[in-house]
Amino acid sequence: MNPVARIALIVAYAVLALAALGRSSYQIATKLSEAPVPYLVSGVSAVLYLVIAIALWRHWAGVALVGTAIELAGVLTVGTLGYVEASWWPDETVWTGYGSAYGWVPLLLPAIALALLLRERRARANDAGPAPAQEGTS
Amino acid sequence: MELYTGVIHPLVLVVSALLALAGIATLVWAPAHRALRVLVPVTYVIVAAHTVTVAFLLFTGTDVDLILTLGYVIASVALLALLGIGRLGTPEAAAADPDPHRPVLTAVQVTRVDAAAAVIVAVALAVVAWRVLVILQGAA
């Protein structure tokens, strides 16, 4: 992955982690009983953002790939459930409305990160070349 | 309160806008990095002024949620660490780190990283300042 894109992603994930950690820790600490599902989802998203930022920094491609895939699935699931089953969500999460409260960054960011990570993975597989054919099996 | 709504908050927004513009300009035209480097200490000063003003308002009896407001203020200060993050990718910085995966950036890449970080931080700073304003105006 282009190092500029990689560091830009790390910065974006660090900012989102900061925002989500602040928001969720406040909500969980002060009013968890009011809306446990949304606040715990926000907490999970905060941890996920932090893990992805660290994985991108440490070059843990597998962790980053799985993390962004879970994140994208989470945004799409929570965003859709917010419209389909509004009663389940007495308050907003980071992923509500597909991340509309955060300028849809929570939706765009995993899509961009996934595309870049998958491209990098393909490039690495191409560089490794095809596996040599095995000879003389038993 | 008038000082905050009339001077400090607009200043934060202006500096955020300038930071974002300088970031975008640097992404397009690398020599604009010089303007960005000038704006970074200006941003430090404005965020410090913002922090001091909000702290003053909080401790002089403005009736707001202390934890929430302080959380936003601390977040605005934490964001400053990301400004000029391109310096971590210079060959000298990378040489001092045993991590083999640490990116080593060329001079142009350092400017691009700084620019991208400046745009992200500018947007985040403006949002944080707006949230603090909403909280303080709610108490007024």
Side-chain angles (χ1 to χ4, degrees), chain A residues 77-94:
Chain A
T77 307
V78 172
T80 305
L81 283 177
Y83 293 110
V84 175
E85 287 293 346
S87 60
W88 292 2
W89 311 93
D91 201 353
E92 291 191 345
T93 76
V94 175

Side-chain angles (χ1 to χ4, degrees), chain A residues 7 57-58, chain B residues 84-107 110 113-114:
Chain A
I7 297 172
W57 179 252
R58 303 298 300 175
Chain B
I85 199 172
R87 68 186 179 277
L88 298 180
T90 59
E92 303 80 49
D97 187 349
D99 179 5
H101 297 303
R102 182 156 174 161
V104 181
L105 305 177
T106 63
V110 168
V113 167
D114 282 350

Side-chain angles (χ1 to χ4, degrees), chain B residues 2-52:
Chain B
E2 287 76 25
L3 174 73
Y4 182 79
T5 53
V7 180
I8 300 295
H9 179 69
L11 265 179
V12 175
L13 294 186
V14 168
V15 167
S16 298
L18 288 175
L19 203 58
L21 285 175
I24 292 167
T26 305
L27 282 173
V28 176
W29 187 58
H33 191 232
R34 261 175 293 174
L36 191 58
R37 283 167 63 177
V38 170
L39 272 172
V40 169
V42 175
T43 309
Y44 288 169
V45 171
I46 297 303
V47 170
H50 180 260
T51 305
V52 170

Side-chain angles (χ1 to χ4, degrees), chain A residues 2-4 6-12 14-15 18 26 30 57-59, chain B residues 65 67-68 75 78-79 82 85 99 101 103 105 109 112-113 116 120 124:
Chain A
N2 177 326
V4 177
R6 182 178 153 207
I7 297 172
L9 278 179
I10 293 168
V11 171
V15 171
L18 184 70
Y26 171 77
T30 59
W57 179 252
R58 303 298 300 175
H59 224 278
Chain B
D65 190 326
I67 297 173
L68 191 61
L79 284 170
L82 296 171
I85 199 172
D99 179 5
H101 297 303
L105 305 177
Q109 286 176 328
R112 295 244 157 86
V113 167
I120 294 168

Side-chain angles (χ1 to χ4, degrees), chain A:
Chain A
M1 190 190 301
N2 177 326
V4 177
R6 182 178 153 207
I7 297 172
L9 278 179
I10 293 168
V11 171
Y13 272 109
V15 171
L16 265 185
L18 184 70
L21 272 175
R23 175 190 180 130
S24 61
S25 51
Y26 171 77
Q27 289 172 329
I28 289 170
T30 59
K31 45 184 183 177
L32 179 62
S33 57
E34 290 175 23
V37 175
Y39 297 160
L40 288 175
V41 166
S42 283
V44 169
S45 68
V47 172
L48 203 52
Y49 289 138
L50 197 62
V51 168
I52 295 169
I54 294 169
L56 286 168
W57 179 252
R58 303 298 300 175
H59 224 278
W60 300 333
V63 176
L65 196 63
V66 172
T68 48
I70 293 172
E71 184 198 351
L72 186 59
V75 178
L76 293 174
T77 307
V78 172
T80 305
L81 283 177
Y83 293 110
V84 175
E85 287 293 346
S87 60
W88 292 2
W89 311 93
D91 201 353
E92 291 191 345
T93 76
V94 175
W95 291 339
T96 299
Y98 304 106
S100 57
Y102 291 80
W104 288 280
V105 173
L107 178 63
L108 294 175
L109 202 55
I112 294 168
L114 260 181
L116 291 172
L117 287 164
L118 286 173
R119 201 170 69 171
E120 185 188 29
R121 188 190 170 104
R122 242 192 329 264
R124 220 179 305 132
N126 288 341
D127 288 346
Q134 286 189 342
E135 292 174 22
T137 50
S138 66

